[in-house]
Amino acid sequence: MNTLMSSNLSLPGQLSKYKGKVRDVYFLDNNLLVIVVTDRLSAFDVVMPKGIPFKGQVLNQITSKMLNSTKDIVPNWINSTPDPNVSIGIRCKPIKIEMVIRGYLSGHAARQYNQGKRELCGVILPEGMIENDKFVSPIITPATKADEGHDEDISREEIINNEIVSEIDYRKLESYTYKLFERGSELAKKKGLILVDTKYEFGKTSNGEIVLIDEIHTPDSSRYFYKDGYEERQSLKKPQKQLSKEFIRQWLISNRFQGLEGQVLPTMSNQIINEVSNRYIELYEKILGEKFKKDSTDRIESRIEGNIMRYLKSIY
């Protein structure tokens, strides 16, 4: 199965290109941004050498639909999705923090808790919890947004004191984050899922307006549990059935890799790659309630370039 591991486009009005862990970002004149969502897989801030079939399409299409379903809460950057792997919208100045919000003690928070830590990003965690327990109310545990290397936990106070974000703007980000998480949780519940935790990223437009950017409620940015059987599994202290990228993180951990210095990246077999691809597709169908339609994987980059060019021609 062909996968999109990179793009090398030459677009009208193109000023520059940035290659992220998963996305290729093209900066155009007239404040336009073109984002190509590839099939690259990143875990522990390391990009895996093999791509995941249809991953980019899944992420891009979930994001597009979720941004549309939350634009009454906060404006977002997208104008169009002319291709299954492409979004085009307004260029923003990214705010250099990720607003991570957690409804349950899972993932990174659980790993920290199990090491005996009872404070995360300035938030005090209650005693007596077990992994995957629900918090009394969701907590925000921000992270720095690193251009390279690992993102780092950071507290609200550190963000404001270091003037990464003004207190006024941070309050807006907090408010948006709680409201987005509530909406995402409602959407998940209707489909028999629990939105466990997620992250939101924001930017500012040229006129200073805060807008929602990047992906939202995808398996790369979020963790979901199946609602059916959650209470029983938790009472028996069994692992929760989940749909998220945690599956691949756990596989890497079991193969002694967490992105730390000196560790060797294990080889992903075709079986593992297909399992991950199926998980992404499963989440798409569960969270959106519709059948995933696999787009052609023949000459993916040519298809992408053609669809982008047609869209740009229509607006110029």
Side-chain angles (χ1 to χ4, degrees), residues 141-281:
T141 58
T144 59
K145 182 61 179 172
D147 293 326
E148 295 183 3
H150 295 279
D151 299 334
E152 300 288 343
D153 292 339
I154 189 170
S155 70
R156 180 187 197 274
E157 289 71 23
E158 289 172 320
I159 291 170
I160 294 170
N161 291 340
N162 293 330
E163 299 182 346
I164 299 173
V165 176
S166 72
E167 185 170 359
I168 291 175
D169 282 350
Y170 190 82
R171 286 177 180 173
K172 288 182 182 178
L173 298 181
E174 278 186 324
S175 176
Y176 285 148
T177 297
Y178 283 123
K179 290 176 182 177
L180 288 167
F181 189 70
E182 182 179 9
R183 178 67 55 81
S185 298
E186 291 169 356
L187 294 170
K189 185 178 180 180
K190 290 177 182 178
K191 305 300 181 184
L193 297 174
I194 295 170
L195 179 57
V196 178
D197 52 42
T198 190
K199 70 178 179 71
Y200 303 111
E201 296 185 38
F202 299 89
K204 279 192 174 184
T205 63
S206 57
N207 63 6
E209 181 182 30
I210 293 177
V211 298
L212 185 60
I213 63 173
D214 202 64
E215 61 188 334
I216 170 177
H217 299 157
T218 73
D220 271 20
S221 65
S222 311
R223 189 189 326 271
Y224 292 89
F225 289 158
Y226 281 89
K227 188 174 182 295
D228 185 33
Y230 165 80
E231 295 289 353
E232 181 182 359
R233 286 188 290 272
Q234 203 60 12
S235 66
L236 296 174
K237 297 184 179 180
K238 290 185 175 181
Q240 289 296 329
K241 186 180 179 184
Q242 62 176 287
L243 285 169
S244 74
K245 202 167 65 173
E246 186 66 17
F247 164 78
I248 196 63
R249 292 192 193 98
Q250 291 301 324
W251 181 82
L252 289 168
I253 290 171
S254 70
N255 284 272
R256 301 178 181 178
F257 183 83
Q258 288 181 266
L260 302 177
E261 187 176 350
Q263 293 181 336
V264 178
L265 188 64
T267 301
M268 294 178 66
S269 67
N270 289 336
Q271 179 182 348
I272 292 292
I273 289 172
N274 288 332
E275 285 180 13
V276 176
S277 179
N278 290 336
R279 293 253 180 147
Y280 275 94
I281 291 171

Side-chain angles (χ1 to χ4, degrees), residues 40 48 116 223:
R40 296 194 294 266
M48 306 294 113
R223 189 189 326 271

